[in-house]
Amino acid sequence: MDKPTGLRKGLTSYGDQGFSLFLRKAFIKGAGYTDSALDRPVVGIANTGSAYNPCHGNAPQLIEAVKRGVMLAGGLPMEFPTISIHESFAAPTSMYLRNLMSMDTEEMLRAQPMDAVVLIGGCDKTVPAQLMGAASAGMPAVQLITGSMLTGSHRSERVGACTDCRRYWGKFRASEIDEDEVADVNNQLVASVGTCSVMGTASTMACIAEALGMTMPGGASPPAVTADRIRIAEQTGTQAVQMARDGLTIDKVLTPAAFENAMRVLLAIGGSTNGIVHLTAIAGRMGLEIDLAALDRMGRETPVLLDLKPSGQHYMEDFHHAGGMATLLRELKPLLRLDAMTVTGRTLGEEIEGHGAGFNQDVVRPITAPIYPQGGIAVLRGNLAPGGAIIKQSAADPRLMEHEGRAVVFENTEDLLTRIDSDDLDVTAQDVLVLKNIGPKGAPGMPEAGYIPIPRKLARAGVKDIVRISDGRMSGTAFGTIVLHVTPESAIGGPLAHVRNGDRIRLSVRDREIALLVSDAELARRAQESPVTVPSAARGYRKLFLETVTQADQGVDFDFLRAETMVGKVPEQP
Ligand code: FES
C-alpha cells in the first residue's frame, strides 16, 4: 500500500483510522477549506515571527509569498508556529534555547501532516535549530532565510549591527564619545527589520544553508525588506511542492559532500566561529562527525574571499549587490564538491553553472588576491584544550598571534563584571585574560561572553586588543585575538578550571597551539586541591540541559538528539 500523503499523514490515534481522518477533515473544514484543497500536497510553513524577534519582522510578508508559491504549484500551504529566538531577547543566552527550538521544530514536523516544510529562520540560533530539527525529522525541507537588515548612517558614517555596535560601545567605554552620541548611534545601528548586516552568525548560517544546498539558489543574501527576498520566498514555496512530489528528502541533500562545501564556505567567508558549533550539531543529527583537524587543514588552503565586516569592510547588502553566493561559489569552485545535491533537485555544480559568468565587483575577492591568505578560523590544541579550541584569526591582531603572557583569571562572568573595570586590576596589555565557567554547562548555554571587554584602564590608554581565552563563544560580529570553545570546559574539570593568576600561557596560531606553561603534576595537584562541582538543576528544562548537553566538539547538542549511530566523518575519509 502507498504511504499516506497530505492530510492523511500521521493520523491522530483514536483506534479507528477512518474516524481519525473524518474528524481531522471536519475540524479543518471549520476554517473553510474544501475537499479539493485538502487533497493537495501539504507544505508546512514554520512561522517564527514574534514581536520579540525583529530579525524575523518580515515573516508576515515572507509567509504570504511562500503561500503564493505553494498554491501556484498546486499545493496547500499550512502555516504553523514554533518558538522563535532573538539574540538580545533570550536570557541567559540564546544558545540555551537552540536545542529546545530544534526539538519543537522536529516534533511539530513529525506530529502535523505535511509532505514538505519551509523553514523560515534568520536570527543566529533559528536556522541551526530548524536545520537540526528537520534533519532529524527526515522529510523534504527547504530553508527560507529572513534576510539581513539595511545599514544606517550615523553622522555620515555607514553603520550596521553589530560590529559597529561593539565599536561605538568601545568608544563610549573609552570616553571617546559622550552619552548623547551613543544614544544617537543607537537609533541608526539597526535601520530596518532583518538580521545583522555583517558576517555575524546569522549571515554565516545563511551562507552555510545555501552552501549545504538547503536554500533556493541566491537565498542567502537578499536583504529582508527587498523584492528579491520576497521573490525567493515565492520560489521556495513552489519548490517545496516539487520536493514533496519528488520525495526529495533532507538526507539526500545533507550529505558529507554538502557538509564539506559548508566547511569551505565557512572558511572563505571569514564566518562566525559559532558556525562550527552549529554545523557540528546539524551534521551530528545525520550521524556525521565534523573533523576539526581536517577543518584546520582545509583552512590552510581556503583563503578568506569575502570582504565583509568584521574581517573586512562591507555589509550583507553589498554582498547581495555583488551577486551573493553565486559569486563566491564560482570563485571557490575548484575547492567544492560540485556533485552535492540541492533542494532544487540539481547539483551545486549545476546551480553555479546556471548563474552564468560573473561581473566586476569588489566584495568577493578572486582566489588569487584574497582578503586573508588562510581560512578565517584556526583550530588550536594543547594542554589547555585537549579537546580543541578555536580562534578567528582573520579578526585577530597579527601582533598577538604569537604571544606568551601572564594569566589574569576571572572565575565567572560575575567576577568579570565586578573587577574588569577596577583601577586596581593588576593587568597590562601583555597579559592574557582568562574567563572560566562560560562553557555549555558552566553558564549554562555557552554564552557569547568570550568577547571579554578590554579592562577600562587599558582601553583608556588606547589598548585595542589583548589575548583572551575562555570556554565560551563570541558573537560573529566581534573581533580581537580571542581563543574560544576551550574543550573540555572548566565547569566539568577541564584544565582551564585550574589556571591561576600569574600562570604563563602561550598562544601560537602558527603552530596551532594553546599551552598552559604549568606541569601536569602541578595541574593534577590543583585538581585534587580544588575539585570542581559539575552544575546541576532540580527540575525542568535546565535539568534536561545540564544532564544531556554535550561539549563544543559535539555541537553543544543534547546527547539524545544526535543520531543513534555515527556513520562517517566530514570530510569523508579516503
Ligand atoms: Fe538577530 Fe543579529 S540579533 S541576527
Side-chain angles (χ1 to χ4, degrees):
M1 210 170 79
D2 286 347
K3 272 190 172 172
T5 58
L7 262 284
R8 290 167 180 76
K9 279 182 82 174
L11 291 169
T12 312
S13 305
Y14 289 117
D16 176 343
Q17 298 238 314
F19 177 68
S20 296
L21 182 60
F22 175 75
L23 202 58
R24 173 174 286 176
K25 286 176 85 170
F27 277 116
I28 199 75
K29 282 180 177 172
Y33 288 90
T34 61
D35 279 314
S36 163
L38 298 177
D39 275 343
R40 311 263 164 166
V42 176
V43 173
I45 305 171
N47 177 7
T48 51
S50 159
Y52 288 107
N53 195 345
C55 298
H56 295 200
N58 59 342
Q61 292 78 31
L62 293 180
I63 290 166
E64 186 189 320
V66 173
K67 285 182 172 174
R68 183 167 71 239
V70 170
M71 289 193 282
L72 283 170
L76 175 65
M78 296 289 283
E79 165 198 348
F80 65 95
T82 73
I83 58 171
S84 190
I85 308 170
H86 182 276
E87 289 303 291
S88 291
F89 289 91
T93 172
S94 58
M95 188 64 171
Y96 179 64
L97 299 166
R98 184 202 61 178
N99 297 347
L100 182 64
M101 183 172 175
S102 85
M103 291 167 73
D104 182 358
T105 304
E106 176 182 346
E107 296 309 325
M108 287 299 101
L109 301 195
R110 287 187 196 284
Q112 302 170 139
M114 63 188 85
D115 300 300
V117 65
V118 173
L119 308 158
I120 300 181
C123 197
D124 296 16
K125 305 303 176 294
T126 59
V127 172
Q130 291 183 319
L131 290 175
M132 290 159 71
S136 296
M139 66 171 54
V142 52
Q143 183 77 54
L144 174 60
I145 303 294
T146 57
S148 61
M149 62 182 70
L150 300 179
T151 51
S153 176
H154 172 64
R155 302 182 183 176
S156 283
E157 189 201 346
R158 196 177 181 208
V159 291
C162 231
T163 304
D164 297 320
C165 313
R166 295 175 196 286
R167 192 162 55 81
Y168 272 93
W169 189 248
K171 284 185 179 198
F172 178 60
R173 279 177 55 82
S175 307
E176 290 171 25
I177 61 171
D178 60 18
E179 288 202 11
D180 286 345
E181 183 166 358
V182 87
D184 278 354
V185 79
N186 191 255
N187 284 329
Q188 298 305 322
L189 287 162
V190 179
S192 74
V193 296
T195 57
C196 288
S197 54
V198 299
M199 190 44 74
T201 304
S203 304
T204 299
M205 291 311 300
C207 294
I208 280 182
E210 187 167 343
L212 283 169
M214 285 300 302
T215 71
M216 291 304 288
S221 62
V225 296
T226 59
D228 280 349
R229 175 55 64 198
I230 300 293
R231 263 188 290 276
I232 288 284
E234 184 189 300
Q235 290 167 0
T236 302
T238 298
Q239 186 56 31
V241 178
Q242 193 59 44
M243 292 171 74
R245 291 194 170 120
D246 294 345
L248 184 53
T249 45
I250 196 165
D251 55 305
K252 299 184 176 101
V253 179
L254 292 184
T255 59
F259 284 105
E260 188 176 328
N261 289 335
M263 288 161 78
R264 285 280 177 210
V265 164
L266 173 64
L267 292 162
I269 61 178
S272 162
T273 45
N274 292 323
I276 295 182
V277 178
H278 298 319
L279 203 50
T280 303
I282 300 162
R285 298 297 185 96
M286 303 304 296
L288 297 168
E289 190 185 324
I290 299 288
D291 183 346
L292 278 184
L295 177 75
D296 191 73
R297 282 197 299 278
M298 289 164 76
R300 292 177 190 263
E301 60 186 33
T302 313
V304 177
L305 301 181
L306 191 51
D307 190 2
L308 248 63
K309 291 188 175 201
S311 299
Q313 53 169 327
H314 293 289
Y315 294 87
M316 274 304 274
E317 62 198 72
D318 307 318
F319 181 38
H320 184 55
H321 295 151
M325 284 293 285
T327 307
L328 183 88
L329 294 172
R330 193 183 298 113
E331 204 56 47
L332 275 182
K333 207 170 154 190
L335 298 173
L336 294 174
R337 294 279 305 269
L338 300 173
D339 56 334
M341 179 56 62
T342 77
V343 289
T344 63
R346 294 181 293 273
T347 64
L348 190 70
E350 288 169 331
E351 291 301 346
I352 297 172
E353 286 301 313
H355 272 99
F359 50 85
N360 277 343
Q361 47 79 39
D362 64 353
V363 181
V364 180
R365 298 275 189 87
I367 210 157
T368 48
I371 151 162
Y372 192 81
Q374 298 190 351
I377 295 166
V379 179
L380 309 172
R381 293 211 186 254
N383 68 341
L384 191 50
I390 56 165
I391 184 167
K392 188 169 182 180
Q393 52 178 342
S394 59
D397 184 340
R399 291 170 305 176
L400 289 173
M401 295 210 287
E402 304 298 317
H403 185 81
E404 186 186 312
R406 187 184 63 137
V408 175
V409 177
F410 300 92
E411 292 299 324
N412 49 44
T413 43
E414 292 74 37
D415 184 29
L416 179 82
L417 286 174
T418 312
R419 295 193 294 121
I420 190 78
D421 286 339
S422 163
D423 285 337
D424 296 334
L425 183 68
D426 178 14
V427 66
T428 74
Q430 282 70 48
D431 291 336
V432 174
L433 303 183
V434 174
L435 176 56
K436 302 178 184 177
N437 289 307
I438 59 164
K441 287 188 201 253
M446 207 181 177
E448 291 185 339
Y451 181 69
I452 305 167
I454 308 280
R456 196 186 294 266
K457 72 182 198 186
L458 296 183
R460 282 205 188 113
V463 174
K464 298 279 187 245
D465 198 3
I466 182 168
V467 176
R468 288 158 267 183
I469 299 175
S470 75
D471 44 14
R473 298 176 302 116
M474 79 170 179
S475 162
T477 62
F479 50 90
T481 311
I482 301 175
V483 177
L484 303 156
H485 309 183
V486 167
T487 305
E489 64 176 306
S490 50
I492 62 169
L496 189 70
H498 306 299
V499 181
R500 293 187 178 171
N501 277 322
D503 286 348
R504 306 289 296 175
I505 292 178
R506 184 173 65 228
L507 167 67
S508 171
V509 178
R510 184 188 56 223
D511 296 339
R512 302 294 197 257
E513 184 193 41
I514 183 74
L516 177 62
L517 305 181
V518 170
S519 70
D520 290 350
E522 170 61 13
L523 279 179
R525 194 191 63 74
R526 290 180 189 180
Q528 208 161 33
E529 184 182 285
S530 329
V532 302
T533 307
V534 179
S536 62
R539 63 164 297 281
Y541 179 68
R542 195 176 177 101
K543 179 176 165 71
L544 176 75
F545 188 99
L546 289 173
E547 287 179 358
T548 64
V549 74
T550 57
Q551 293 289 287
D553 58 351
Q554 293 194 19
V556 195
D557 201 357
F558 294 155
D559 54 14
F560 64 92
L561 292 176
R562 276 163 61 90
E564 282 177 50
T565 45
M566 299 309 275
V567 294
K569 280 193 173 190
V570 184
E572 286 167 297
Q573 313 294 309

Short mmCIF file of all heavy atoms in Angstrom, two decimals, residues 53-56 85-89 122-126 146-149 161-162 190 194-198 200-203 475 477, ligand 1:
data_model
loop_
_atom_site.label_atom_id
_atom_site.label_comp_id
_atom_site.label_asym_id
_atom_site.label_seq_id
_atom_site.Cartn_x
_atom_site.Cartn_y
_atom_site.Cartn_z
N ASN A 53 11.20 39.27 18.15
CA ASN A 53 12.26 38.93 17.21
C ASN A 53 12.23 39.83 15.95
O ASN A 53 11.75 39.42 14.90
CB ASN A 53 12.17 37.46 16.80
CG ASN A 53 13.44 36.99 16.11
OD1 ASN A 53 14.26 37.81 15.70
ND2 ASN A 53 13.60 35.69 15.99
N PRO A 54 12.77 41.06 16.07
CA PRO A 54 12.77 41.96 14.92
C PRO A 54 13.59 41.42 13.74
O PRO A 54 13.38 41.85 12.61
CB PRO A 54 13.37 43.26 15.47
CG PRO A 54 14.00 42.90 16.76
CD PRO A 54 13.29 41.70 17.29
N CYS A 55 14.48 40.48 14.00
CA CYS A 55 15.22 39.87 12.88
C CYS A 55 14.27 39.06 11.98
O CYS A 55 14.62 38.76 10.85
CB CYS A 55 16.33 38.97 13.41
SG CYS A 55 17.55 39.87 14.38
N HIS A 56 13.11 38.71 12.49
CA HIS A 56 12.10 37.99 11.72
C HIS A 56 10.88 38.90 11.47
O HIS A 56 9.78 38.39 11.26
CB HIS A 56 11.65 36.73 12.47
CG HIS A 56 12.74 35.71 12.63
ND1 HIS A 56 12.50 34.39 12.90
CD2 HIS A 56 14.09 35.82 12.54
CE1 HIS A 56 13.64 33.72 12.98
NE2 HIS A 56 14.63 34.58 12.79
N ILE A 85 13.72 32.63 18.52
CA ILE A 85 14.77 33.07 19.46
C ILE A 85 15.49 34.27 18.86
O ILE A 85 15.97 34.20 17.73
CB ILE A 85 15.81 31.96 19.70
CG1 ILE A 85 15.16 30.64 20.10
CG2 ILE A 85 16.82 32.39 20.75
CD1 ILE A 85 16.13 29.47 20.09
N HIS A 86 15.56 35.34 19.62
CA HIS A 86 16.36 36.50 19.20
C HIS A 86 17.53 36.65 20.17
O HIS A 86 17.39 36.44 21.37
CB HIS A 86 15.50 37.77 19.21
CG HIS A 86 16.26 38.99 18.75
ND1 HIS A 86 17.06 39.73 19.58
CD2 HIS A 86 16.35 39.57 17.53
CE1 HIS A 86 17.60 40.73 18.90
NE2 HIS A 86 17.18 40.65 17.64
N GLU A 87 18.66 37.04 19.61
CA GLU A 87 19.88 37.12 20.42
C GLU A 87 19.74 38.00 21.66
O GLU A 87 20.27 37.67 22.72
CB GLU A 87 21.03 37.65 19.56
CG GLU A 87 21.51 36.67 18.53
CD GLU A 87 21.95 35.36 19.14
OE1 GLU A 87 22.99 35.35 19.83
OE2 GLU A 87 21.26 34.35 18.95
N SER A 88 19.08 39.14 21.51
CA SER A 88 19.05 40.09 22.63
C SER A 88 17.81 39.93 23.50
O SER A 88 17.62 40.68 24.45
CB SER A 88 19.09 41.53 22.10
OG SER A 88 20.35 41.79 21.55
N PHE A 89 16.96 38.98 23.16
CA PHE A 89 15.74 38.77 23.96
C PHE A 89 15.69 37.35 24.50
O PHE A 89 14.61 36.77 24.60
CB PHE A 89 14.50 39.08 23.13
CG PHE A 89 14.32 40.54 22.85
CD1 PHE A 89 14.85 41.11 21.71
CD2 PHE A 89 13.65 41.36 23.76
CE1 PHE A 89 14.70 42.46 21.46
CE2 PHE A 89 13.49 42.71 23.51
CZ PHE A 89 14.02 43.27 22.36
N GLY A 122 16.27 33.06 10.60
CA GLY A 122 17.24 34.10 10.24
C GLY A 122 18.16 34.43 11.39
O GLY A 122 19.38 34.33 11.26
N CYS A 123 17.58 34.84 12.52
CA CYS A 123 18.43 35.22 13.65
C CYS A 123 19.27 34.02 14.07
O CYS A 123 18.87 32.86 13.90
CB CYS A 123 17.56 35.73 14.80
SG CYS A 123 18.51 36.64 16.03
N ASP A 124 20.43 34.32 14.65
CA ASP A 124 21.52 33.35 14.82
C ASP A 124 21.14 31.89 15.08
O ASP A 124 21.60 30.99 14.39
CB ASP A 124 22.43 33.78 15.97
CG ASP A 124 23.14 35.09 15.71
OD1 ASP A 124 22.72 35.83 14.80
OD2 ASP A 124 24.10 35.38 16.42
N LYS A 125 20.34 31.64 16.11
CA LYS A 125 20.12 30.26 16.53
C LYS A 125 18.99 29.60 15.77
O LYS A 125 18.82 28.39 15.84
CB LYS A 125 19.81 30.20 18.04
CG LYS A 125 20.85 30.85 18.92
CD LYS A 125 22.22 30.26 18.73
CE LYS A 125 23.28 30.98 19.54
NZ LYS A 125 23.53 32.37 19.12
N THR A 126 18.19 30.40 15.07
CA THR A 126 16.97 29.83 14.49
C THR A 126 17.26 28.92 13.31
O THR A 126 16.66 27.85 13.20
CB THR A 126 16.01 30.96 14.07
OG1 THR A 126 16.65 31.81 13.12
CG2 THR A 126 15.58 31.79 15.27
N THR A 146 15.32 34.90 6.52
CA THR A 146 14.56 36.16 6.57
C THR A 146 15.30 37.28 5.86
O THR A 146 14.68 38.18 5.29
CB THR A 146 14.26 36.60 8.02
OG1 THR A 146 15.50 36.72 8.73
CG2 THR A 146 13.36 35.60 8.73
N GLY A 147 16.63 37.25 5.90
CA GLY A 147 17.42 38.28 5.20
C GLY A 147 17.95 39.34 6.13
O GLY A 147 17.43 39.56 7.23
N SER A 148 18.99 40.02 5.67
CA SER A 148 19.68 40.98 6.53
C SER A 148 18.95 42.32 6.59
O SER A 148 18.19 42.68 5.69
CB SER A 148 21.11 41.21 6.01
OG SER A 148 21.06 41.73 4.70
N MET A 149 19.21 43.05 7.65
CA MET A 149 18.69 44.41 7.82
C MET A 149 19.44 45.36 6.87
O MET A 149 20.50 45.01 6.34
CB MET A 149 18.91 44.87 9.26
CG MET A 149 20.39 44.92 9.64
SD MET A 149 20.76 45.39 11.34
CE MET A 149 20.20 43.99 12.26
N ALA A 161 24.46 46.72 12.55
CA ALA A 161 24.67 45.79 13.66
C ALA A 161 25.42 44.56 13.13
O ALA A 161 25.19 44.14 12.01
CB ALA A 161 23.31 45.38 14.24
N CYS A 162 26.34 43.95 13.91
CA CYS A 162 26.55 44.53 15.22
C CYS A 162 28.02 44.86 15.46
O CYS A 162 28.37 45.24 16.56
CB CYS A 162 26.08 43.55 16.28
SG CYS A 162 24.96 44.32 17.45
N VAL A 190 20.47 49.68 13.63
CA VAL A 190 19.56 48.69 13.03
C VAL A 190 18.53 49.48 12.24
O VAL A 190 17.56 49.99 12.79
CB VAL A 190 18.92 47.81 14.12
CG1 VAL A 190 17.96 46.82 13.51
CG2 VAL A 190 20.00 47.08 14.92
N GLY A 194 15.19 42.58 10.04
CA GLY A 194 16.15 41.70 9.36
C GLY A 194 17.30 41.37 10.28
O GLY A 194 17.41 41.89 11.39
N THR A 195 18.16 40.51 9.80
CA THR A 195 19.26 40.01 10.63
C THR A 195 20.47 40.94 10.54
O THR A 195 20.55 41.79 9.66
CB THR A 195 19.67 38.60 10.17
OG1 THR A 195 20.03 38.65 8.79
CG2 THR A 195 18.52 37.61 10.35
N CYS A 196 21.44 40.73 11.42
CA CYS A 196 22.62 41.60 11.49
C CYS A 196 23.29 41.69 10.12
O CYS A 196 23.39 40.70 9.38
CB CYS A 196 23.59 41.09 12.54
SG CYS A 196 22.97 41.37 14.20
N SER A 197 23.76 42.90 9.81
CA SER A 197 24.17 43.21 8.43
C SER A 197 25.63 42.89 8.13
O SER A 197 26.10 43.16 7.03
CB SER A 197 23.90 44.68 8.15
OG SER A 197 24.52 45.48 9.14
N VAL A 198 26.35 42.35 9.10
CA VAL A 198 27.75 41.98 8.87
C VAL A 198 27.85 40.45 8.81
O VAL A 198 26.84 39.76 8.85
CB VAL A 198 28.65 42.55 9.98
CG1 VAL A 198 28.57 44.07 9.98
CG2 VAL A 198 28.27 41.98 11.33
N GLY A 200 28.12 38.14 10.76
CA GLY A 200 27.92 37.56 12.08
C GLY A 200 27.38 36.14 11.91
O GLY A 200 27.41 35.57 10.81
N THR A 201 26.85 35.60 12.98
CA THR A 201 26.38 34.22 12.92
C THR A 201 25.18 34.06 11.99
O THR A 201 25.07 33.08 11.26
CB THR A 201 26.03 33.72 14.33
OG1 THR A 201 27.19 33.90 15.15
CG2 THR A 201 25.64 32.26 14.33
N ALA A 202 24.28 35.05 11.98
CA ALA A 202 23.10 34.92 11.12
C ALA A 202 23.51 34.88 9.65
O ALA A 202 23.06 34.00 8.90
CB ALA A 202 22.15 36.09 11.37
N SER A 203 24.37 35.81 9.23
CA SER A 203 24.82 35.81 7.83
C SER A 203 25.62 34.55 7.54
O SER A 203 25.51 33.97 6.45
CB SER A 203 25.68 37.04 7.56
OG SER A 203 24.98 38.22 7.86
N SER A 475 30.23 36.50 19.69
CA SER A 475 29.40 36.88 18.56
C SER A 475 30.25 36.88 17.30
O SER A 475 31.42 37.25 17.31
CB SER A 475 28.83 38.28 18.80
OG SER A 475 28.40 38.81 17.58
N THR A 477 30.05 38.91 15.13
CA THR A 477 30.28 40.29 14.74
C THR A 477 31.45 40.90 15.51
O THR A 477 31.81 42.04 15.30
CB THR A 477 29.02 41.14 15.01
OG1 THR A 477 28.74 41.10 16.40
CG2 THR A 477 27.83 40.59 14.25
FE1 FES B 1 19.29 38.60 15.12
FE2 FES B 1 21.89 39.57 14.96
S1 FES B 1 20.42 39.74 16.58
S2 FES B 1 20.78 38.33 13.61
#
